[in-house]
Amino acid sequence: MIKAGVIGATGYAGAELVRLLSGHPEVELSGLTSRNYAGRPFWEVYPHLYKYVDPVCAEQDVPALVAQSDVVFTALPHGHAMAVAKETLAQGKALIDLGADFRFRDAATYESWYKVEHTARELIARAVYGLPEIHREEIKVARLVGNPGCYPTSAILGLAPLLKEGWLEPDSIIIDSKSGVSGAGRGLSLNTHYCEVNESIKAYGVAGHRHTPEIEQELSALAGRQLTVSFTPHLTPMLRGILSTIYGRLTRPLSGGQAHALYRDFYAGERFVRVLPPGMLPATKAVAGSNHCDLGVVVDGRTGRVVVVSAIDNLIKGAAGQAVQNMNIMSGLPEDTGLCGPGVYP
Amino acid sequence: MIKAGVIGATGYAGAELVRLLSGHPEVELSGLTSRNYAGRPFWEVYPHLYKYVDPVCAEQDVPALVAQSDVVFTALPHGHAMAVAKETLAQGKALIDLGADFRFRDAATYESWYKVEHTARELIARAVYGLPEIHREEIKVARLVGNPGCYPTSAILGLAPLLKEGWLEPDSIIIDSKSGVSGAGRGLSLNTHYCEVNESIKAYGVAGHRHTPEIEQELSALAGRQLTVSFTPHLTPMLRGILSTIYGRLTRPLSGGQAHALYRDFYAGERFVRVLPPGMLPATKAVAGSNHCDLGVVVDGRTGRVVVVSAIDNLIKGAAGQAVQNMNIMSGLPEDTGLCGPGVYP
Amino acid sequence: MIKAGVIGATGYAGAELVRLLSGHPEVELSGLTSRNYAGRPFWEVYPHLYKYVDPVCAEQDVPALVAQSDVVFTALPHGHAMAVAKETLAQGKALIDLGADFRFRDAATYESWYKVEHTARELIARAVYGLPEIHREEIKVARLVGNPGCYPTSAILGLAPLLKEGWLEPDSIIIDSKSGVSGAGRGLSLNTHYCEVNESIKAYGVAGHRHTPEIEQELSALAGRQLTVSFTPHLTPMLRGILSTIYGRLTRPLSGGQAHALYRDFYAGERFVRVLPPGMLPATKAVAGSNHCDLGVVVDGRTGRVVVVSAIDNLIKGAAGQAVQNMNIMSGLPEDTGLCGPGVYP
Amino acid sequence: MIKAGVIGATGYAGAELVRLLSGHPEVELSGLTSRNYAGRPFWEVYPHLYKYVDPVCAEQDVPALVAQSDVVFTALPHGHAMAVAKETLAQGKALIDLGADFRFRDAATYESWYKVEHTARELIARAVYGLPEIHREEIKVARLVGNPGCYPTSAILGLAPLLKEGWLEPDSIIIDSKSGVSGAGRGLSLNTHYCEVNESIKAYGVAGHRHTPEIEQELSALAGRQLTVSFTPHLTPMLRGILSTIYGRLTRPLSGGQAHALYRDFYAGERFVRVLPPGMLPATKAVAGSNHCDLGVVVDGRTGRVVVVSAIDNLIKGAAGQAVQNMNIMSGLPEDTGLCGPGVYP
C-alpha cells in the first residue's frame, strides 16, 4: 500500500483527491491537513464522505506528514509548495504539487506571471510537468511532479497532435475556455456567490491569465519553436467542467478525415483521452466525474482554420484525477487504478 | 458472473442501471433493449459511456433477452412489466421491475391509481417490495421484485423507525418532497424543457400523485394499522436528488436525543442509510451519485411534532442503485458490490 | 416628487429597492448609503444599473439622509433600524423598515427570537405590519412600517382566506417553504457559495426559524385565537422566488370549487394577488421579477386537508416591491405605481 | 396608438414581444396567432402574463391580421415570413421579421445556407437590416425590416468600431459565442431537455452555423471589403444571454486607452449600447431583462490582438427588444419607448 498524505485537503481539488485516494485500492491515507478546519473530522467539512473518510484534519506539520507518507500531494495556493518540496525530497519521498510552483522550466517566467520569488530554483530541473500523455516517460522516474493547471490540460491535449506535426501556424492559436465554478475554489468571494454566478457568463483575466505561459511553454516544446497564444477563460454557471474551443490556422490543406485520423493515432492506447467519432463533439457533461479528456476536431476549409473542442472535468483530469494518474505512473501501477469510472450522467 | 439484461435501457433510470451494471465486478451485460434507439450503439445515446459500454441497443425481443439472462431488469412505464414478468418467471429467471407493476399487494389499489388493468394478478403474491432495509429477508428468496418508487424510498426510510415504535399519530403524516428533474425521465415534454424548469419550483400532482398509495401501503404495514398521508411532490431545478421533509405529530413526548438514538439503532448496520449526527441535516448534494439515504431528525417540542429530513439520489437509491442492491441480495453477494462509491461533490 | 433615501442600499433587497425607486415616476432618490461600498458609484457595485443610477454610495450619516428625504427605507440586518426609526420620526419623516425590528406587536417575542434588546419599544405601538392586503387601512396613515419577511408574506397571503373564515383547525398548520438563494443576501458565506448551493436542496432552521413568530402573530390575529405553526424553510438552487406549500386540516367539508371561490372573493380587487384558475398551480417563474403573489388551492377530501400553494419573488413582493407598495399607499399614490410590470419569463 | 400584430406569438421570442408590446404605452395589440395554441388564452401558455394579456391565440389568418394591424411582427421559423411580407406590403402595412428571411442582400447566400428557396426576391431590395446602431437612417423609412439574429447582433456591435476604422486584419476575426438555452426556442428537443443542458457546455454548428453569413455580410460592409470569419456558438446552462468573445489581429499598434475611446465615441449617444469603463467587462447577468448591449475591449500587446467582449439578452436586444426598437424608429417614437428598464439582477 502506498501511504499518501494531502496538504491542503479541504479545498475542492484537495477534497477530490481525498475522495479518489480513499477509494484507491493501493492507497492508504497517511494524513490530511487543513488550515481552516484543523481539528475537525473531514466528513464534517465534506458530508458526502461521511462513513468513508475518518481522519480528522490536522494542523500543517509538514515534516511529520512527510515522514508518515510515501507520496505527498500539495493542493495549496501557488508559492506554498516550494518549502514542502524541499522537505519531501530531503526525506526521500515523492511530491505531486497541484499548484503552479513546479510547472515551469524557467523560474523567471514563473516569477514574472505569479509575482512571487521562486525559493526552490534548485529543484526546477528535477521537476516534471505532469501531463502523462505528453511526458509519461519522465513521470515514471520523477520524484517531483508539477501537476498541470486545468485550462492547460484541456488546451495542450487539444493541440498536441496538430502542433507536433506542424499543421498550425504557430502564432495563430486562440484558446477560448469555459470553466465551471469549482475551478475558482471553495474560498469565499463575490465571484463565487451563487447569485452573482448563476445565469451569467463572463470572461476574466483577458490577455493576462496565469495559465497562458504554462500553455505556451508546453505548446512551444511540441511545436519546436517559441510561440504565443491568446487565451481567454470564462466563468460559467456549472459546477464542474472545462470546455476549450481552440482555433488555429492551417499551414496546408487538411481534410476532416485526416484530422480525425491524426488525433486517433496520436492518442491510440491512451486510457483517458477519447477522440470522439466524426460527427460527435465533446460536452462537459459527458466527462464530469471522470478522468477523461474528450476531443473533437473540425476542419473549416472556408476559413483555412481548424477548430478543436476539448472537454475535461476540471477537478479530475484538470487536478486531482491527473495527480492520481501521475502517482500511479510513478508507482508502477496500472494507470487507471482508482480512476476507472465513467462519470455520472445526467 | 451474473448475466443481466436491461429492458428499457435508454431512459435515465435504465441508463443509470447500465452504468452501474457495467462497472459491477460480478455482472456481465447480457443485453440492452430500447424502443427509441434500437440499432444504435449505447454510447451514442449516452456519450459518457463511450469506451465503457459496447453493446448496440436491441429491439425488444423479451423471450430472447430472458433466455440469455439470469436477471432481467425492466425500466419501463407502468403497465409494461407484467408480460415480461410472466416470461421471466416461466423461464425460471429473476425479474426486478423498476416500475410500479409489482409494488402493490392489492391489485385493486394499483388499478385504481394507475388506471390500467393488472394482467398478472397471479404473480402479485410472489412479488416482494424491494426496499432492503425493510424487506431484506423476503428479497433474499424472491424471484420477482417490485423496486420502490423514488419518493416512497425517501419517505418510508424517513418514517420507519418512528412508525414502527408507535411514536406518531398515524393520520398526522405530511410528506413534502422536492425532486430533481431526472425523475421526470428523458422523454420530451414542456415540463422538462430547460427554460421552463430552471429558476422555478412548482408543486404537481397535489393530493393525487401515484406514489401516495405506495407510501401508504408500506407505512400502514409498519404502523400496524391503515393510515393515509398527505404527499406533495415538487419539481426543482436540479438534475438529481430528492429531499423529503416529513412531519408527524408525536403521540407522547420525545427528546431530540431519544429520536436520534431511535434512528441510529434502527439503521445500525445498514450500509446505505446514514443517520447524520445531531446538528447535521441532509442535503441532496451529499448523496448525489451514491446509493445512500441520509436522514436527520428534529423534534419540535413547541408544536409537538417531529420533522424528519430524508435525502437520496433519485436515480440511484431511488431507482437503479436500489435495483442493483436487490440483485446483490438475491444473488448472495455483499450488498454493496458495485455500489461502493461515496458520490461526487460538489 | 417623493424624496426617498435607502440605508443599506447594496444588499440584494436594498439594490432591488434602488432599481424600483429609480424607475418610479413619482420618486427621486435622495441618497443611498452602504457600509461596504461607501465612496463608490452605485453602478460599480450593481453593473446592471450603469447609466441608470448615478449616485455614489454614501457613508451612513442617518440624520443627514433623513433630513434630505421624505421617506427612508432601511434594508439592514435586524437590530439596526431602531435608532434610524427614532431619528426619522423625530424629523417627522416616514420609515419603512425591511428588517424585523418593527414587525412585532410584542417586544418580548422579538427579543426572545432575535436575541437582541428592543431599544425603541415606545415606537412599537406606532408601527404597522406592512402587508397591504391585510393591513391597508392602517398603512395609509402610518409613519412607521415594518415590512413583512419574505416567508411570512407567502404564508400569510396563502392562509388568510381560510383562517379568517374558520375553515382550519388552528394548530394543524404546516408551512413548507422553498426559497431561492438571493434571500440569503449578498454577504459571503459557504451557504451561498455556488458550488455548495447548486444541485442541492436542504432544509435549515428546522423548528427554529425567526420568521415563525411573525407568521404566528399574523395568523393568530386572522384566526382570532393564538396558534402555533410548523414552518420549515429550504434553500434551493435558484436566484429568486419562494414557493410555500401549506397544509391545514379542515374543520368541516369544503369543495374545491368553494375553496377557489373563497380565495377569489377574498382577494377580489387586489392588484398583486392572483388567485389562479382551478387546475393551475403557481410556479415561482411566473412571478419572478414582479410584485405578484400567485395562489392555488387544492382540497384533499381523502385526508380532510387543504393544500395551498403560494409563490412570490422574494426580493419584490417579499421585500423591495412590497416596500414600494407600502410607500405608494402611505403617499396616496395608485398602489402599483412603479410596480406595474409582469415579470420576465423564461 | 400603433396597432401591432404578432404572428408566431407563443415561441420565446414571440412571447417576449407580446410582453414588451403589452407594456408599450403607444401600442395596442391587434392580434396574436399561434399554430400550437390556437383557441387558448395567451396567459394559459405564458402564466406570467395572467391578468396582463387577455387575447386568445388566433389561427394564422394572415390577411385578417394584417388588415387589423399597422405593424406586423413575424416570429416564425425561416421560410415562413416571405408570404406574410407580400401580404403586409400589399396592404400598405409594415413588417418586422424576427427570422432570417429578410436579413440578406443576396438571395443566393440565403438559399445556400438555409436550404430553402427565396420566394419574395423582389422584396429584398426594400428590406433593411434592422440593427439601429448601424442602419438607423434606413430603418426610419423602411416598411420591411429583417430583424438581426441574436449572435450577429452581439458580434456586429462588438466589431463595428474597429472594422470601420480599419484596425483589424479582415480575415483574422474569430467570434466565440456562448448562448443561454432560450435561444434554442420552446420547441421540444433533447437539446433543450433540462437534464441534457444543465451542468454542460458544448459547441454546436462548428464552422457551419447559419448566422455566419449574416455576420460576414454586415462586417464586410463595415470593413469595405469581403471578409470571412470563424464563428462558433455554444450552448450554456442559463436561460437568457449571449456573451461573444471576439478576437482580431491589429493592423497597427493601438493602446487600451485608444481602443476604449474609439468605442466610446462610436457609440456616443446610443441609448442601448453601453461601453463599459476601462477595467470592467460585460457579464450576461448585467444585461438580462434589458435591451442593452454591453461592450468591453482589451488590447493584448503581447500577441498583437484585440479582444472584444459583448453581452446581450438574446430575447431582447437579440430579438424582441430590437424589434420594438425598430418599430419605434419606424414610427418616429423615442427609441426607448417601452424599453426603458435596466433589467433585473440577480
Side-chain angles (χ1 to χ4, degrees):
Chain A
M1 296 292 271
I2 302 164
K3 280 178 267 171
V6 180
I7 298 181
T10 53
Y12 286 135
E16 190 67 351
L17 205 43
V18 170
R19 179 179 74 87
L20 291 172
L21 293 172
S22 71
H24 192 293
E26 305 293 335
V27 165
E28 182 186 327
L29 281 171
S30 55
L32 311 174
T33 78
S34 166
R35 228 177 352 190
N36 293 324
Y37 296 102
R40 293 177 55 185
F42 192 81
W43 55 259
E44 224 178 88
V45 188
Y46 282 99
H48 68 307
L49 295 176
Y50 183 49
K51 304 276 186 194
Y52 286 86
V53 176
D54 283 336
V56 165
C57 299
E59 298 281 353
Q60 213 158 295
D61 179 346
V62 173
L65 185 77
V66 172
Q68 67 209 35
S69 307
D70 301 316
V71 185
V72 175
F73 294 87
T74 34
L76 299 169
H78 70 268
H80 290 76
M82 294 178 278
V84 180
K86 290 180 186 175
E87 178 69 31
T88 307
L89 296 188
Q91 290 198 28
K93 310 298 178 70
L95 178 72
I96 299 172
D97 175 32
L98 278 73
D101 293 359
F102 293 102
R103 293 177 189 158
F104 292 89
R105 310 229 162 272
D106 176 18
T109 303
Y110 171 83
E111 292 182 342
S112 112
W113 285 81
Y114 284 85
K115 313 292 179 205
V116 293
E117 197 193 338
H118 202 298
T119 59
R121 288 173 168 247
E122 69 282 9
L123 298 181
I124 290 180
R126 299 176 59 185
V128 173
Y129 189 75
L131 190 57
E133 291 77 9
I134 308 295
H135 296 289
R136 185 172 287 112
E137 294 309 311
E138 300 150 78
I139 296 165
K140 279 183 183 166
V141 296
R143 303 302 286 163
L144 175 56
V145 165
N147 209 57
C150 50
Y151 289 121
T153 295
S154 75
I156 299 162
L157 293 176
L159 279 162
L162 284 163
L163 271 181
K164 191 138 190 201
E165 306 282 333
W167 284 102
L168 297 184
E169 289 182 18
D171 285 324
S172 74
I173 295 168
I174 288 172
I175 300 155
D176 191 283
S177 296
K178 299 89 181 165
S179 174
V181 184
S182 60
R186 210 189 200 195
L188 300 182
S189 145
L190 211 47
N191 275 319
T192 55
H193 191 298
Y194 182 85
C195 297
E196 303 295 314
V197 168
N198 200 39
E199 293 294 308
S200 201
I201 295 189
K202 66 173 180 184
Y204 66 99
V206 178
H209 193 279
R210 285 163 170 168
H211 282 175
T212 310
E214 183 182 337
I215 295 170
E216 290 178 348
Q217 164 184 291
E218 293 298 310
L219 295 187
S220 297
L222 284 159
R225 48 156 287 186
Q226 199 59 33
L227 53 74
T228 60
V229 303
S230 286
F231 163 60
T232 311
H234 298 76
L235 191 65
T236 60
M238 60 179 186
L239 293 167
R240 288 169 176 247
I242 287 177
L243 192 88
S244 290
T245 312
I246 305 170
Y247 304 84
R249 193 179 290 279
L250 289 165
T251 49
R252 51 197 194 278
L254 177 73
S255 75
Q258 285 175 299
H260 182 261
L262 175 71
Y263 274 72
R264 192 193 54 208
D265 294 349
F266 189 94
Y267 289 116
E270 286 297 342
R271 171 69 173 84
F272 292 120
V273 178
R274 300 191 295 195
V275 178
L276 300 187
M280 284 179 72
L281 283 176
T284 59
K285 184 183 280 288
V287 298
S290 84
N291 197 47
H292 290 290
C293 176
D294 279 4
L295 295 175
V297 56
V298 176
V299 173
D300 184 3
R302 219 176 57 89
T303 61
R305 290 199 185 89
V306 66
V307 184
V308 183
V309 184
S310 167
I312 60 169
D313 182 321
N314 58 300
L315 290 179
I316 305 187
K317 185 61 177 168
Q322 187 142 270
V324 171
Q325 187 181 356
N326 281 319
M327 181 198 73
N328 288 341
I329 294 171
M330 293 158 78
S331 310
L333 293 170
E335 203 161 318
D336 66 351
T337 314
L339 292 171
C340 43
V344 172
Y345 186 110
Chain B
M1 298 291 273
I2 301 164
K3 279 177 270 172
V6 180
I7 298 181
T10 53
Y12 287 135
E16 190 68 350
L17 205 43
V18 171
R19 179 179 75 87
L20 292 172
L21 293 172
S22 73
H24 192 293
E26 305 293 336
V27 166
E28 181 186 328
L29 281 171
S30 56
L32 312 175
T33 79
S34 166
R35 229 180 347 194
N36 292 325
Y37 296 100
R40 292 177 58 185
F42 192 80
W43 55 259
E44 224 177 88
V45 188
Y46 282 99
H48 67 307
L49 294 176
Y50 183 49
K51 305 276 185 192
Y52 286 86
V53 175
D54 283 335
V56 164
C57 300
E59 297 283 352
Q60 215 158 292
D61 179 347
V62 172
L65 185 78
V66 172
Q68 66 208 36
S69 306
D70 300 315
V71 185
V72 174
F73 294 86
T74 34
L76 300 168
H78 70 267
H80 290 75
M82 294 177 279
V84 180
K86 290 181 185 175
E87 178 68 30
T88 307
L89 296 187
Q91 290 198 28
K93 311 299 179 68
L95 178 72
I96 300 172
D97 175 32
L98 278 73
D101 293 358
F102 293 103
R103 294 177 188 158
F104 292 90
R105 311 228 161 273
D106 176 18
T109 304
Y110 172 83
E111 293 181 341
S112 110
W113 285 80
Y114 283 85
K115 312 295 181 204
V116 294
E117 195 193 337
H118 202 297
T119 59
R121 287 173 169 250
E122 69 281 10
L123 298 181
I124 290 181
R126 301 175 58 185
V128 173
Y129 188 76
L131 191 56
E133 291 78 9
I134 307 296
H135 295 289
R136 184 173 287 113
E137 294 310 310
E138 301 149 78
I139 295 165
K140 279 183 185 167
V141 297
R143 303 300 287 161
L144 176 55
V145 166
N147 208 57
C150 50
Y151 290 120
T153 295
S154 75
I156 299 162
L157 293 176
L159 279 161
L162 284 162
L163 271 181
K164 192 138 191 199
E165 306 283 333
W167 284 100
L168 296 185
E169 290 182 17
D171 286 322
S172 73
I173 295 169
I174 288 171
I175 300 155
D176 190 284
S177 296
K178 298 90 181 164
S179 175
V181 184
S182 60
R186 211 191 200 195
L188 299 183
S189 144
L190 212 47
N191 275 321
T192 55
H193 191 298
Y194 182 86
C195 297
E196 303 295 316
V197 169
N198 199 41
E199 293 295 309
S200 201
I201 295 188
K202 65 173 181 184
Y204 66 100
V206 178
H209 192 278
R210 286 163 169 168
H211 283 174
T212 310
E214 183 182 337
I215 295 170
E216 289 177 348
Q217 165 184 290
E218 294 298 311
L219 295 188
S220 296
L222 284 159
R225 48 153 288 188
Q226 199 59 33
L227 52 76
T228 59
V229 303
S230 285
F231 163 61
T232 311
H234 298 76
L235 190 64
T236 59
M238 61 179 186
L239 293 166
R240 287 170 176 248
I242 286 177
L243 192 89
S244 289
T245 312
I246 306 169
Y247 305 84
R249 194 177 290 279
L250 289 164
T251 49
R252 52 198 193 278
L254 177 73
S255 74
Q258 285 175 300
H260 183 261
L262 175 71
Y263 274 72
R264 193 193 53 208
D265 295 350
F266 189 92
Y267 290 117
E270 286 298 341
R271 170 69 173 85
F272 292 119
V273 177
R274 300 191 295 195
V275 178
L276 300 188
M280 282 179 74
L281 283 176
T284 59
K285 186 184 280 287
V287 297
S290 84
N291 197 46
H292 291 289
C293 176
D294 279 5
L295 295 175
V297 56
V298 176
V299 173
D300 183 3
R302 218 177 57 89
T303 61
R305 289 199 187 91
V306 66
V307 184
V308 183
V309 184
S310 167
I312 60 169
D313 182 322
N314 57 303
L315 291 180
I316 305 187
K317 184 63 177 169
Q322 187 140 270
V324 171
Q325 188 181 356
N326 281 319
M327 180 198 72
N328 288 341
I329 294 171
M330 294 158 78
S331 311
L333 294 170
E335 203 162 319
D336 66 352
T337 314
L339 293 171
C340 44
V344 172
Y345 186 110
Chain C
M1 297 290 275
I2 301 165
K3 279 178 269 171
V6 180
I7 298 180
T10 54
Y12 286 134
E16 189 68 351
L17 204 43
V18 171
R19 178 178 76 88
L20 292 172
L21 293 171
S22 71
H24 193 293
E26 305 293 336
V27 165
E28 182 186 327
L29 281 172
S30 56
L32 311 175
T33 78
S34 166
R35 228 178 350 192
N36 293 324
Y37 296 101
R40 292 177 57 184
F42 192 79
W43 54 260
E44 223 178 87
V45 188
Y46 282 98
H48 67 307
L49 295 176
Y50 183 50
K51 305 277 185 193
Y52 287 86
V53 176
D54 283 336
V56 165
C57 299
E59 297 282 352
Q60 215 158 293
D61 179 347
V62 173
L65 185 77
V66 172
Q68 66 208 38
S69 307
D70 300 315
V71 185
V72 174
F73 295 87
T74 35
L76 300 168
H78 70 267
H80 290 76
M82 294 177 280
V84 180
K86 289 181 185 175
E87 178 69 30
T88 307
L89 297 187
Q91 290 198 28
K93 311 298 179 69
L95 179 72
I96 299 172
D97 175 31
L98 279 72
D101 293 358
F102 293 102
R103 293 177 189 158
F104 293 89
R105 311 228 160 274
D106 176 18
T109 304
Y110 171 83
E111 292 181 341
S112 109
W113 285 81
Y114 284 84
K115 312 293 180 206
V116 293
E117 196 193 338
H118 203 297
T119 58
R121 287 172 169 251
E122 69 282 9
L123 298 181
I124 289 181
R126 300 176 58 186
V128 173
Y129 188 76
L131 191 57
E133 291 78 9
I134 308 296
H135 295 290
R136 184 172 287 113
E137 295 308 313
E138 300 150 79
I139 295 165
K140 280 182 184 167
V141 297
R143 303 300 287 162
L144 174 56
V145 166
N147 208 57
C150 49
Y151 290 120
T153 295
S154 75
I156 298 161
L157 293 176
L159 280 161
L162 285 163
L163 270 180
K164 191 138 191 200
E165 306 283 334
W167 284 102
L168 297 185
E169 289 182 17
D171 285 322
S172 72
I173 295 168
I174 288 172
I175 300 156
D176 190 283
S177 296
K178 300 87 180 164
S179 174
V181 183
S182 60
R186 210 190 200 195
L188 300 182
S189 144
L190 212 47
N191 275 321
T192 55
H193 191 298
Y194 182 86
C195 297
E196 303 295 315
V197 169
N198 200 40
E199 293 295 307
S200 200
I201 295 188
K202 65 173 181 183
Y204 66 100
V206 178
H209 192 278
R210 285 163 171 170
H211 283 173
T212 310
E214 183 182 337
I215 295 169
E216 290 177 347
Q217 165 185 290
E218 294 298 310
L219 295 187
S220 296
L222 284 159
R225 49 154 288 187
Q226 199 59 34
L227 53 74
T228 60
V229 303
S230 285
F231 163 61
T232 311
H234 298 76
L235 191 64
T236 58
M238 60 179 186
L239 293 167
R240 287 170 176 248
I242 286 178
L243 192 88
S244 289
T245 312
I246 306 170
Y247 305 83
R249 193 178 292 277
L250 289 163
T251 50
R252 52 199 194 277
L254 178 72
S255 73
Q258 285 175 299
H260 183 261
L262 175 70
Y263 275 71
R264 193 192 53 207
D265 295 349
F266 189 92
Y267 289 117
E270 285 297 343
R271 171 69 173 84
F272 293 120
V273 178
R274 300 190 295 194
V275 178
L276 300 187
M280 283 180 73
L281 283 176
T284 59
K285 185 184 280 288
V287 297
S290 84
N291 196 46
H292 290 290
C293 176
D294 279 4
L295 294 175
V297 56
V298 176
V299 174
D300 184 3
R302 219 177 56 89
T303 61
R305 289 199 187 90
V306 67
V307 183
V308 183
V309 184
S310 167
I312 60 168
D313 181 322
N314 58 301
L315 290 180
I316 305 187
K317 186 61 177 168
Q322 187 142 269
V324 171
Q325 187 181 357
N326 281 318
M327 180 197 72
N328 288 342
I329 295 170
M330 294 159 78
S331 311
L333 293 170
E335 203 161 319
D336 65 353
T337 314
L339 292 171
C340 43
V344 173
Y345 185 109
Chain D
M1 295 293 271
I2 302 165
K3 281 178 267 172
V6 181
I7 299 180
T10 54
Y12 286 134
E16 189 67 351
L17 205 42
V18 171
R19 178 179 74 88
L20 291 172
L21 293 171
S22 72
H24 192 292
E26 305 293 335
V27 166
E28 181 186 329
L29 281 171
S30 55
L32 312 174
T33 78
S34 165
R35 231 180 347 196
N36 294 324
Y37 296 101
R40 293 177 56 185
F42 192 80
W43 55 259
E44 224 178 88
V45 188
Y46 282 99
H48 67 307
L49 294 177
Y50 184 49
K51 305 275 186 192
Y52 286 87
V53 177
D54 283 336
V56 165
C57 299
E59 297 283 352
Q60 214 157 295
D61 179 346
V62 172
L65 185 76
V66 171
Q68 66 208 35
S69 306
D70 300 316
V71 185
V72 174
F73 294 87
T74 35
L76 299 169
H78 70 267
H80 290 75
M82 294 177 278
V84 180
K86 289 180 187 175
E87 178 69 31
T88 306
L89 296 189
Q91 290 198 27
K93 311 297 179 70
L95 178 72
I96 299 171
D97 175 33
L98 278 73
D101 293 359
F102 293 103
R103 292 177 190 158
F104 293 90
R105 310 228 161 273
D106 175 18
T109 303
Y110 171 83
E111 292 182 342
S112 112
W113 285 81
Y114 283 86
K115 313 293 179 204
V116 293
E117 196 193 339
H118 203 297
T119 58
R121 288 173 167 248
E122 68 282 9
L123 299 181
I124 290 181
R126 300 175 59 184
V128 173
Y129 189 76
L131 191 57
E133 291 77 9
I134 308 295
H135 295 289
R136 185 173 287 114
E137 294 310 310
E138 301 149 78
I139 296 166
K140 279 182 185 168
V141 296
R143 302 302 286 161
L144 175 55
V145 166
N147 208 57
C150 50
Y151 291 120
T153 296
S154 75
I156 299 163
L157 293 176
L159 280 161
L162 284 162
L163 270 181
K164 192 138 188 200
E165 307 282 334
W167 284 101
L168 296 185
E169 289 182 17
D171 285 322
S172 73
I173 295 169
I174 288 171
I175 300 156
D176 190 284
S177 296
K178 300 88 182 166
S179 174
V181 184
S182 60
R186 212 190 199 193
L188 299 182
S189 146
L190 212 47
N191 275 319
T192 55
H193 191 299
Y194 182 86
C195 298
E196 302 295 317
V197 169
N198 200 39
E199 293 296 306
S200 200
I201 295 188
K202 65 173 181 184
Y204 67 99
V206 177
H209 192 278
R210 285 162 170 170
H211 281 175
T212 310
E214 183 182 337
I215 295 170
E216 290 177 349
Q217 165 184 292
E218 294 298 310
L219 296 188
S220 296
L222 284 159
R225 49 155 287 186
Q226 199 59 33
L227 53 73
T228 60
V229 303
S230 286
F231 163 61
T232 310
H234 297 77
L235 191 64
T236 59
M238 60 180 186
L239 294 167
R240 287 168 176 249
I242 286 177
L243 192 88
S244 289
T245 313
I246 305 170
Y247 305 84
R249 193 178 291 278
L250 290 164
T251 49
R252 52 196 193 277
L254 178 73
S255 74
Q258 284 175 300
H260 182 260
L262 175 71
Y263 274 72
R264 192 193 55 207
D265 294 349
F266 189 94
Y267 290 116
E270 286 297 342
R271 171 69 173 84
F272 292 121
V273 177
R274 300 190 294 194
V275 178
L276 301 187
M280 284 180 71
L281 283 176
T284 59
K285 184 184 281 286
V287 297
S290 83
N291 197 46
H292 290 290
C293 175
D294 279 4
L295 295 175
V297 55
V298 176
V299 173
D300 184 2
R302 218 176 58 89
T303 61
R305 288 200 187 88
V306 67
V307 184
V308 183
V309 184
S310 167
I312 60 169
D313 182 321
N314 57 301
L315 291 180
I316 306 186
K317 185 61 178 169
Q322 187 140 270
V324 172
Q325 187 181 356
N326 281 318
M327 181 198 71
N328 288 340
I329 294 171
M330 294 158 77
S331 310
L333 294 170
E335 204 162 318
D336 66 352
T337 313
L339 293 170
C340 45
V344 172
Y345 186 110

